Amino acid sequence: MIKELDYTQARKICDKEFIKCTATDDLEPLLDIIGQDRAVKALQFGLDIKEEGFNLYVAGMPGTGKKTAIVNFLGHRAKDMPVPPDWCYVYNFEDGQKPNALQLPAGMGSQLVADMARFIEEMKKALKASFESDDYASRREETLKGFEETKQELMKELNQKAQDAGFVIQRSKIGMVIIPVINGQLINEEQFSILPQTIREEIQDRRKALSDEMRTAFRQFRDIDREAEAAVEKFNKEVASFAMDALLDSLNDKYGEVEECKLYLGAVRNDILDNLGAILGAQKPTENPLAAMMGGGTPDPTRRYKVNLVVDNSKLEGAPVIMELNPGHDRVFGTTEKEARFGALVTDYTMIRSGSAHMANGGYLILPVEDLAKSPGTYEALKRTLLNKKLEIEELAARMGYVSTRSLRPEPIPFDCKVIIVGDGRYYYMLYQGDPEFKKIFKVKAEFDNTMARSQENVAQYAQFMCTLVNKEGLKHLEQTGIASIVEYSSRLAADQDKLSTQFDKVSDIIREANYYTESNGGEYIPADHVRQAIEAKVYRSNMIEEKLGEMIERGSILVDTEGSKVGQLNGLAVMGIGDHMFGKPSRITASIGLGKSGIIDIEKQADMGGPTHTKGVHILTGFLTDRYAKEHPLSLTARLVFEQSYSGVDGDSASSTETYAMMSALSGVPIKQSFAVTGSVNQRGQVQAIGGVNHKIEGFFDLCKFRGLSGDHGVMIPESNVKNLMLREDVVEAVKEGMFHIYPVGTIDEGIEVLTGVGAGEPDDEGNYPEGSVNKLVQDRLDQMAELMKPKKSNDDE
């Protein structure tokens, strides 16, 4: 008979001696990523290499702490990196629709903003004081005096010429008018019309000649006026330069080493000199206070001298590490805001807003792939940015062609940043296969495992992780037993005695809940009892469906036997998952046998309730029977397999060994003990193979037997290869220790049938015959009998 599993193999205990501290407050907080050597090496390579396209995709299951670990990992590296420059947008005096990007050393951007705002105010005051001074008025008058005298002299000459020609020049509402004079009297149009023809013609000839003289004189007047305006403009610029050059000189002294900034300050100076009138006029009180109050007054021309700081790295120490958890297009790549003015949306360069890509420039940008996939346009813009190495701020609607309104086109900013996409491995393979450009720009894959070895070194680091968590969140520290209990819970999550789970979110939640019970009881440290209480409470909050199903079994609504023996009937074990809770559910599996040639019929498949993996398991069962019992003649039977009272579908091959035992029992007539439940898949050679969810399956049947009363006969049979996955509840382990519940690990169908029936399976002799009374012999005889009965009867004519 197969040896029963010892209770020490049902759960790997974490001895207190394995924990090299009395509590987590004896430990140093964890600084490194634990249990992820492969991922760490990939991260180090991807971050160190400077060549183009070596950005990273970090893959792994949710809850493994990828994001937190990466942020901490990058944070330590970024401290030793140079602080990237500040970036500003300033007005483009050549094309106002294309603002210029200005790069400044870190910390100087905010200074430039403040200095330019101060310069604007001081410049306006200085200009106003200069142009409203008496000295300016007198010097301007002196500048214009010579031009006025020249004009008066020219006008005097013109009047003399008109007088000599018999005319007088007078001003009217429509310009200068030439009026004839006869005998000292001015002649109006009516008097002129009654003059003799010859006199009128003679006057007209003289008037024409005088008009030519006047046109020449007026051209001279205009030339003099232009010269006067030019002289005044030159004078005004000299006055303005004198008033503001000292202010600009201080700015040039501070920022002149930045060539772009020096050019910008020169452009500001030129624009001020070119727009003195508008600047001075804007300082006068508006004639329409209501319009000014509603934002519709005369725009301030000095607004365009303001500096828009979009990236301020003044407070950084090292390179930036930015994680954008909401990677919408505008949040990543920036946008140009708009404001409503009299029913219209307007914008300018001061409304340009940066995105997280700007903030991360010169450092690291972390993006979650799931949210990236949900954000229209962001992934395409990210690829374009990485390929072109330029950050562009562009309206998404305009990029996609939804709108064609004119808007700003800010100058692109050079982009030098490592981009790290974090997410499930499925997205990596989808992008790798479906997007040719993805493999060009994300050449490094760092994959986080969901488990790590349960070595002494890793257990010590796991305890450091607990120390880090409690310090960060202000929780109670864990005592030695509490640490050991968390280690065991981690192995339970990993479903492996030699592994620890890296699903740190689930582990952290248990510590937080255990902390609640410790605080409620006034404890100083979190003990193992409170960790167990937290685990049990978490299960209780989610296991209502499990309890309802158990109640239905107890009340006989769902039929599951745990006593006696039955032919062709056996308890199978399945795992159900509802949200974050998984549990084992016993199910009755039955087999019926009859003559025929249909072979084994899967009723679940016939009812469209069986999945492909379950169907595969049934076909493997057929292969096993054929290989063992039908070497000399075909199987001549019609058999049916079914999960009784299964209404939600069946999939997976973990019941294929159970179905095999039911078939062998039905064919041999040997009854199976109903105090057992079975799980495990089978291959065509009769070997029992590992399955998943073994702990939940065992505990599901144990709970049923415990409710009905453990008699010492109850137990389960599992694949031998699943022993390493056992991390059973402590009450199950205790029942195994006391001999009230049994676990049998088997490697073959023959071993299993002996446990279930108490009858030897039987080994074939050299001629392939099984021993009398063995299960295999009984099955072989029944199949031979059925094959003989299926042979065609000989007729009398044949005889």
Side-chain angles (χ1 to χ4, degrees):
M1 294 294 290
I2 302 302
K3 184 178 180 181
E4 180 182 352
L5 191 76
D6 187 74
Y7 79 95
T8 58
Q9 297 175 277
R11 179 185 180 93
K12 187 174 182 179
I13 302 299
C14 181
D15 293 330
K16 291 189 292 184
E17 291 73 17
F18 208 61
I19 309 297
K20 302 300 182 181
C21 63
T22 57
T24 53
D25 56 1
D26 296 338
L27 304 173
E28 293 293 328
L30 184 68
L31 299 177
D32 300 321
I33 298 175
I34 61 172
Q36 302 289 353
D37 293 341
R38 185 193 308 274
V40 169
K41 289 179 180 178
L43 282 171
Q44 290 173 339
F45 167 75
L47 298 175
D48 288 340
I49 190 169
K50 303 303 180 184
E51 277 68 25
E52 182 178 347
F54 284 87
N55 298 290
L56 296 94
Y57 187 104
V58 179
M61 287 180 58
T64 53
K66 300 184 300 296
K67 295 175 184 175
T68 303
I70 291 169
V71 170
N72 293 335
F73 183 80
L74 295 178
H76 292 301
R77 292 178 60 94
K79 288 180 181 178
D80 300 326
M81 296 174 62
V83 179
D86 293 343
W87 284 95
C88 307
Y89 273 107
V90 295
Y91 187 78
N92 185 344
F93 297 102
E94 295 181 359
D95 187 348
Q97 296 300 117
K98 299 178 180 179
N100 289 329
L102 199 62
Q103 179 181 338
L104 290 164
M108 291 190 71
S110 57
Q111 296 178 35
L112 181 61
V113 171
D115 289 344
M116 284 302 296
R118 186 164 49 251
F119 164 77
I120 292 170
E121 295 304 316
E122 292 177 354
M123 175 267 296
K124 290 194 292 186
K125 292 177 181 178
L127 291 182
K128 183 178 181 182
S130 295
F131 283 93
E132 290 181 355
S133 66
D134 294 337
D135 183 51
Y136 168 77
S138 62
R139 290 181 61 188
R140 184 177 186 277
E141 183 179 349
E142 184 178 346
T143 301
L144 293 174
K145 183 177 181 181
F147 296 102
E148 289 296 326
E149 289 176 352
T150 303
K151 287 171 66 176
Q152 290 175 6
E153 186 63 32
L154 185 58
M155 191 64 190
K156 183 178 179 181
E157 292 178 4
L158 184 59
N159 285 331
Q160 185 61 47
K161 290 180 180 179
Q163 185 178 354
D164 294 343
F167 294 97
V168 172
I169 299 175
Q170 290 185 345
R171 293 182 179 273
S172 71
K173 294 181 180 180
I174 60 174
M176 305 296 288
V177 179
I178 303 174
I179 301 174
V181 178
I182 299 178
N183 296 328
Q185 297 292 325
L186 300 180
I187 303 299
N188 58 30
E189 289 296 327
E190 183 179 352
Q191 292 171 331
F192 179 77
S193 63
I194 62 175
L195 292 174
Q197 179 69 26
T198 55
I199 295 175
R200 289 203 307 272
E201 291 176 356
E202 188 267 335
I203 291 174
Q204 289 288 13
D205 291 340
R206 285 186 286 117
R207 177 182 284 174
K208 183 176 181 301
L210 183 59
S211 295
D212 293 340
E213 292 282 349
M214 284 181 62
R215 277 194 291 272
T216 301
F218 289 157
R219 279 196 296 272
Q220 291 176 330
F221 284 149
R222 284 194 294 271
D223 291 341
I224 294 170
D225 287 339
R226 278 194 290 268
E227 291 176 9
E229 289 176 2
V232 170
E233 183 178 354
K234 180 181 177 182
F235 172 66
N236 286 344
K237 288 184 177 181
E238 291 174 353
V239 173
S241 297
F242 181 79
M244 69 176 179
D245 277 353
L247 302 175
L248 282 170
D249 287 345
S250 64
L251 292 176
N252 275 306
D253 291 342
K254 187 173 182 179
Y255 303 100
E257 293 183 1
V258 181
E259 184 62 26
E260 292 180 346
C261 194
K262 184 177 180 180
L263 295 174
Y264 167 67
L265 292 174
V268 169
R269 180 182 187 278
N270 293 335
D271 190 74
I272 293 173
L273 295 178
D274 291 339
N275 294 277
L276 285 172
I279 294 172
L280 294 170
Q283 298 185 61
K284 296 179 181 178
T286 180
E287 297 179 357
N288 189 345
L290 179 61
M293 184 175 61
M294 297 179 65
T298 303
D300 183 1
T302 62
R303 177 182 172 87
R304 56 187 177 187
Y305 307 139
K306 292 182 178 180
V307 175
N308 181 13
L309 178 62
V310 293
V311 178
D312 181 8
N313 291 322
S314 59
K315 298 181 180 179
L316 274 184
E317 295 180 2
V321 178
I322 303 297
M323 175 180 285
E324 181 53 77
L325 297 177
N326 181 20
H329 181 275
D330 292 351
R331 286 183 63 91
V332 176
F333 298 103
T335 187
T336 303
E337 296 178 347
K338 298 174 178 63
E339 64 181 17
R341 292 180 187 170
F342 288 93
L345 294 177
V346 296
T347 187
D348 60 38
Y349 77 98
T350 63
M351 299 183 194
I352 297 173
R353 300 292 178 259
S354 62
S356 50
H358 295 81
M359 301 302 176
N361 201 6
Y364 305 101
L365 176 61
I366 307 168
L367 300 170
V369 69
E370 292 86 357
D371 297 300
L372 188 65
K374 298 174 186 176
S375 304
T378 306
Y379 176 63
E380 291 299 323
L382 178 65
K383 289 195 301 180
R384 187 167 57 251
T385 300
L386 290 172
L387 291 171
N388 298 334
K389 296 183 178 180
K390 290 182 178 179
L391 264 175
E392 296 184 66
I393 298 178
E394 185 176 13
E395 297 288 335
L396 179 60
R399 163 68 67 176
M400 300 181 72
Y402 293 149
V403 295
S404 58
T405 54
R406 187 183 183 192
S407 185
L408 297 181
R409 297 183 60 189
E411 180 184 0
I413 292 175
F415 187 65
D416 180 18
C417 177
K418 281 285 185 181
V419 177
I420 300 100
I421 292 181
V422 183
D424 197 289
R426 295 173 301 164
Y427 287 96
Y428 175 84
Y429 297 113
M430 289 170 57
L431 291 169
Y432 192 88
Q433 296 293 332
D435 183 5
E437 293 178 332
F438 175 79
K439 61 191 73 173
K440 297 178 182 178
I441 54 179
F442 289 95
K443 296 182 179 180
V444 181
K445 180 187 179 186
E447 192 156 16
F448 274 62
D449 198 353
N450 59 345
T451 62
M452 62 183 182
R454 184 171 159 175
S455 63
Q456 185 164 357
E457 179 185 359
N458 283 346
V459 169
Q461 290 185 325
Y462 223 83
Q464 284 184 277
F465 156 72
M466 301 178 208
C467 174
T468 304
L469 176 69
V470 299
N471 285 341
K472 181 180 178 181
E473 300 188 9
L475 309 177
K476 299 285 187 182
H477 279 277
L478 289 89
E479 65 179 34
Q480 195 176 55
T481 61
I483 297 172
S485 188
I486 289 294
V487 169
E488 293 172 17
Y489 175 71
S490 179
S491 289
R492 164 77 177 207
L493 288 177
D496 196 313
Q497 294 181 351
D498 299 322
K499 299 286 185 181
L500 293 172
S501 174
T502 58
Q503 294 183 357
F504 294 109
D505 60 338
K506 294 183 178 180
V507 175
S508 299
D509 284 344
I510 291 299
I511 295 174
R512 294 181 184 109
E513 292 186 34
N515 175 77
Y516 166 78
Y517 295 115
T518 300
E519 287 186 341
S520 299
N521 288 276
E524 185 178 356
Y525 292 95
I526 299 175
D529 290 344
H530 289 163
V531 173
R532 283 192 290 270
Q533 186 177 0
I535 295 171
E536 292 169 359
K538 181 177 176 63
V539 171
Y540 178 74
R541 292 194 298 269
S542 304
N543 72 344
M544 186 177 70
I545 300 297
E546 178 184 3
E547 290 188 355
K548 293 290 184 183
L549 288 172
E551 182 181 337
M552 294 176 71
I553 294 174
E554 290 311 308
R555 300 178 67 179
S557 299
I558 298 177
L559 301 178
V560 176
D561 290 334
T562 56
E563 296 178 351
S565 299
K566 297 282 182 68
V567 173
Q569 177 178 308
L570 184 57
N571 296 322
L573 296 172
V575 170
M576 296 186 67
I578 300 175
D580 62 344
H581 181 61
M582 294 180 63
F583 60 93
K585 175 181 176 294
S587 299
R588 174 183 289 180
I589 297 175
T590 58
S592 61
I593 305 294
L595 290 175
K597 296 184 178 180
S598 300
I600 300 175
I601 298 173
D602 180 8
I603 293 179
E604 305 296 336
K605 178 176 175 57
Q606 295 292 316
D608 291 329
M609 296 178 67
T613 310
H614 178 260
T615 301
K616 177 185 176 183
V618 174
H619 288 311
I620 290 174
L621 165 57
T622 304
F624 164 73
L625 294 177
T626 302
D627 179 69
R628 176 169 288 193
Y629 304 115
K631 293 182 178 179
E632 297 182 1
H633 49 73
L635 291 176
S636 300
L637 81 163
T638 296
R640 288 175 171 80
L641 289 169
V642 66
F643 278 74
E644 303 288 359
Q645 294 182 289
S646 172
Y647 308 108
S648 59
V650 175
D651 200 8
D653 65 348
S654 64
S656 57
S657 67
T658 313
E659 293 167 331
T660 302
Y661 298 132
M663 284 292 301
M664 293 178 70
S665 172
L667 287 166
S668 66
V670 178
I672 291 176
K673 301 172 186 177
Q674 300 301 296
S675 57
F676 275 89
V678 178
T679 185
S681 69
V682 68
N683 62 26
Q684 293 188 113
R685 297 290 180 260
Q687 295 172 311
V688 178
Q689 303 168 140
I691 45 80
V694 64
N695 292 297
H696 297 98
K697 291 177 178 180
I698 294 173
E699 290 164 359
F701 189 66
F702 171 81
D703 289 339
L704 173 61
C705 297
K706 182 179 179 181
F707 184 85
R708 289 180 174 178
L710 292 171
S711 63
D713 296 328
H714 297 112
V716 294
M717 198 163 64
I718 65 171
E720 188 177 34
S721 52
N722 273 124
V723 172
K724 64 181 181 297
N725 303 116
L726 294 179
M727 285 298 295
L728 294 170
R729 292 193 324 244
E730 293 179 358
D731 59 334
V732 181
V733 176
E734 186 64 25
V736 172
K737 181 179 179 180
E738 294 176 356
M740 300 303 292
F741 194 75
H742 311 279
I743 301 173
Y744 288 92
V746 298
T748 65
I749 289 295
D750 287 343
E751 293 175 352
I753 198 69
E754 291 182 359
V755 172
L756 293 173
T757 63
V759 178
E763 292 289 334
D765 57 22
D766 294 339
E767 296 180 359
N769 297 318
Y770 293 102
E772 290 294 332
S774 67
V775 175
N776 280 322
K777 176 63 174 175
L778 294 172
V779 173
Q780 184 72 69
D781 290 347
R782 178 71 184 277
L783 288 172
D784 290 346
Q785 180 186 12
M786 296 173 74
E788 189 67 30
L789 291 173
M790 287 298 294
K791 287 182 179 180
K793 302 286 186 180
K794 291 185 177 181
S795 64
N796 294 331
D797 293 337
D798 294 335
E799 296 176 358

